[in-house]
């Protein structure tokens, strides 16, 4: 990989830790967990000395775990933050090779899946430093389905991932060519070229969709995977960036039945569901889209529950988010939230999260999606790999 040009002398190295942010984080950590072995003043002195000497500093295991959990607490687009304290944090900063990363990603899926009892989990890999680039994975989620362009212009699989599918095929992936093919991981470690790794099939728990009242629904052959593990967001803790920190909770049903399977640029299944249900699609006034949408979401929740795979419905999660708001406000903390993401895509107006405004402040620690990560997710490396 070509080495990035050095930043201008007048500016800090882009991987240098932000001193003010570092001190603010250490104070936050000690404020919420005052029983630290190293007193606040001493820890601040350690951090300052490390930054002065190397341009960055190393988080302790406790700081890393606290920072990851608070990043979830501060994530304005997540409705499931009531559970932020339960996040299991895996410290993977020792991974130096693509093989190390692959092994740890496999272990992430294994622990997160937990036989269907999905665990909130994050695996934090090494940060960017002035001396070394952190590892990266191109995939935007650890489990995504391929999309294959057909000669008639249609797409078999997920249309959002046609470019990524094309890219991994150019990198050597032997694509099976099915509608539900799990994409391989593209992993970069240090300055090495990206490498392809298959996702072991035994680590991908999938749920085949059925309907409680319509036995023939199963004939549609629909399915979805159990673990929504986001892998392209940068975790920022105390002025230090961790570009690779895949994390997951469990699905809210509408993420699958209200977005992944129905968005026009995804599987776009509402017309298929409507036809299966025998609905009149000749006029929008029949509300065929709404009726098909509800029945699909019924099928998703029914199927996951029947398979023993943890999932939540949008009404329950909306109430839980209001509980989270009350708890945080009682602690004197504000709760940033993006209304357009917090309100569910199905029946939003009859959930309690719809009827109020939210603060959209950028509080740190937090997760961020950068343009280089977006480019990788589209199947292109922003650093110029052939």
């Amino acid at each position: 990989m070509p080495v990035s040009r050095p930043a201008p002398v007048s500016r800090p190295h882009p991987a240098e830790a932000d001193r003010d942010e570092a001190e603010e984080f250490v104070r936050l950590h000690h404020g919420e967990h005052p029983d630290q072995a190293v007193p606040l003043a001493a820890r601040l002195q350690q951090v300052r000395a490390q930054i002065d000497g190397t341009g960055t500093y190393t988080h302790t295991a406790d700081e890393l775990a606290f920072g990851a959990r608070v990043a979830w607490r501060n994530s304005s687009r997540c409705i499931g933050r009531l559970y932020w304290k339960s996040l299991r944090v895996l410290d993977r900063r020792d991974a130096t090779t693509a093989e190390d990363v692959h092994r740890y990603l496999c272990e992430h899926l294994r622990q997160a899946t937990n036989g269907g009892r999905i665990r909130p989990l994050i695996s934090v890999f090494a940060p960017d430093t002035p001396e070394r680039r952190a590892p990266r994975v191109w995939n935007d989620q650890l489990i995504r389905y391929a999309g294959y362009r057909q000669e008639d212009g249609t797409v078999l699989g997920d249309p959002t991932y046609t470019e990524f599918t094309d890219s991994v095929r150019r990198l050597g992936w032997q694509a099976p060519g099915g509608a539900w093919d799990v994409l391989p991981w593209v992993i970069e470690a240090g300055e090495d070229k990206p490498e392809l790794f298959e996702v072991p099939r035994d680590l991908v728990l999938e749920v085949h969709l059925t309907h409680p009242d319509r036995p023939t629904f199963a004939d549609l052959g629909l399915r979805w995977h159990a673990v929504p593990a986001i892998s392209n967001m940068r975790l920022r803790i105390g002025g230090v960036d961790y570009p690779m920190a895949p994390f997951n909770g469990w699905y809210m049903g509408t993420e699958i039945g209200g977005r992944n399977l129905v968005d026009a640029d995804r599987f776009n299944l509402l017309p298929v569901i409507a036809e299966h249900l025998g609905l009149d699609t000749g006029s929008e006034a029949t509300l065929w889209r709404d009726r098909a949408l509800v029945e699909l979401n019924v099928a998703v929740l029914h199927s996951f529950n029947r398979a023993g795979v943890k999932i939540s419905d949008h009404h329950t999660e909306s109430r839980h988010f209001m509980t989270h708001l009350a708890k945080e406000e009682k602690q004197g903390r504000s709760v940033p939230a993006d209304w357009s993401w917090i309100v569910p895509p199905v029946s939003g107006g009859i959930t309690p999260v719809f009827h109020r405004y939210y603060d959209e402040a950028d509080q740190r620690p937090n997760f961020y999606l950068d343009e280089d990560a977006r480019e990788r997710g589209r199947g292109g490396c922003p650093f110029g790999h052939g």
Side-chain angles (χ1 to χ4, degrees):
M1 176 187 297
V3 178
S4 302
R5 294 180 179 178
V9 175
S10 60
R11 296 182 181 179
H13 190 284
E16 286 186 5
D18 184 289
R19 178 189 291 267
D20 292 339
E21 202 173 323
E23 294 194 11
E24 181 181 1
F25 169 72
V26 171
R27 294 180 188 278
L28 177 67
H29 181 224
H30 277 72
E32 295 192 26
H33 296 276
D35 55 341
Q36 297 298 310
V38 178
L40 174 60
R43 180 57 181 150
L44 286 172
Q45 184 59 37
Q46 291 174 352
V47 169
R48 291 169 187 146
Q50 286 186 40
I51 293 176
D52 288 342
T54 66
T56 190
Y57 70 106
T58 301
H59 289 125
T60 66
D62 284 345
E63 288 171 345
L64 189 74
F66 173 75
R69 291 176 182 133
V70 174
W72 187 11
R73 187 176 81 191
N74 288 336
S75 297
S76 63
R77 292 183 170 185
C78 179
I79 196 174
R81 285 175 275 167
L82 176 63
Y83 321 104
W84 68 272
K85 289 183 179 180
S86 70
L87 180 66
R88 179 175 297 194
V89 181
L90 301 180
D91 185 346
R92 303 311 198 189
R93 289 177 290 180
D94 62 334
T96 58
T97 67
E99 289 75 17
D100 292 338
V101 173
H102 177 252
R103 184 176 70 257
Y104 282 147
L105 293 182
C106 290
E107 183 60 23
H108 181 112
L109 285 183
R110 184 176 293 107
Q111 290 196 33
T113 304
N114 191 31
R117 302 179 301 278
I118 311 301
R119 294 180 178 131
L121 187 73
I122 185 169
S123 295
V124 185
F125 290 82
D128 272 331
T129 72
E131 286 75 33
R132 184 177 178 85
R133 286 190 69 249
R136 266 102 167 151
V137 62
W138 287 16
N139 309 61
D140 65 355
Q141 289 201 22
L142 295 186
I143 305 173
R144 281 302 200 195
Y145 296 113
Y148 303 105
R149 294 182 175 90
Q150 307 296 293
E151 292 184 359
D152 62 0
T154 62
V155 173
L156 178 64
D158 193 337
T160 292
Y161 294 97
T162 54
E163 290 185 21
F164 192 90
T165 302
D166 291 343
S167 292
V168 294
R169 294 177 82 172
R170 287 194 294 269
L171 288 172
W173 185 47
Q174 301 299 308
W180 305 100
D181 296 339
V182 175
L183 286 161
W185 293 325
V186 183
I187 297 172
E188 293 181 56
E191 301 298 326
D192 296 334
K193 290 184 177 180
E195 297 183 48
L196 278 180
F197 291 87
E198 291 285 351
V199 182
R201 290 299 305 174
D202 64 322
L203 296 181
V204 182
L205 177 60
E206 293 179 299
V207 175
H208 293 260
L209 302 189
T210 61
H211 193 282
D213 305 318
R214 297 177 177 274
T216 59
F217 191 94
D219 296 340
L220 295 174
L222 306 180
R223 67 176 78 170
W224 204 257
H225 56 88
V227 179
I230 299 171
S231 51
N232 67 338
M233 296 192 76
R234 168 173 55 91
L235 170 62
R236 186 170 178 87
I237 299 175
V240 175
D241 287 325
Y242 296 87
M244 188 173 179
F247 62 92
N248 69 274
W250 52 79
Y251 269 116
M252 186 168 72
T254 54
E255 296 177 82
I256 302 169
R259 298 299 308 275
N260 294 331
L261 291 177
V262 304
D263 281 354
D265 61 346
R266 301 293 300 284
F267 282 82
N268 194 27
L269 287 177
L270 283 188
V272 174
I273 303 298
E275 180 181 2
H276 174 79
L277 297 174
L279 301 179
D280 177 6
T281 60
S283 169
E284 296 293 351
T286 66
L287 299 184
W288 66 269
R289 298 180 195 277
D290 308 71
R291 295 165 67 188
L293 185 62
V294 168
E295 294 302 327
L296 177 57
N297 279 272
V298 167
V300 168
L301 292 172
H302 165 76
S303 303
F304 271 67
N305 287 326
R306 184 181 181 187
V309 176
K310 189 170 182 62
I311 196 168
S312 186
D313 66 88
H314 50 293
H315 296 287
T316 298
E317 285 305 323
S318 295
R319 291 195 300 271
H320 285 177
F321 185 71
M322 300 307 292
T323 300
H324 172 66
L325 280 175
K327 286 187 172 183
E328 290 298 297
E329 289 169 358
K330 188 175 181 179
Q331 293 294 323
R333 296 192 289 257
S334 63
V335 180
D338 184 332
W339 189 94
S340 65
W341 281 71
I342 296 300
V343 175
V346 177
S347 304
I350 58 174
T351 62
V353 295
F354 180 90
H355 303 280
R356 61 166 291 167
Y357 295 102
Y358 301 96
D359 181 6
E360 295 190 33
D362 176 18
Q363 297 180 176
R364 297 180 179 179
N366 215 321
F367 294 96
Y368 298 93
L369 182 58
D370 297 328
E371 187 52 41
D372 67 327
R374 291 180 191 275
E375 183 63 26
R376 285 184 178 83
R378 289 190 290 263
C381 178
F383 296 95
H385 283 308

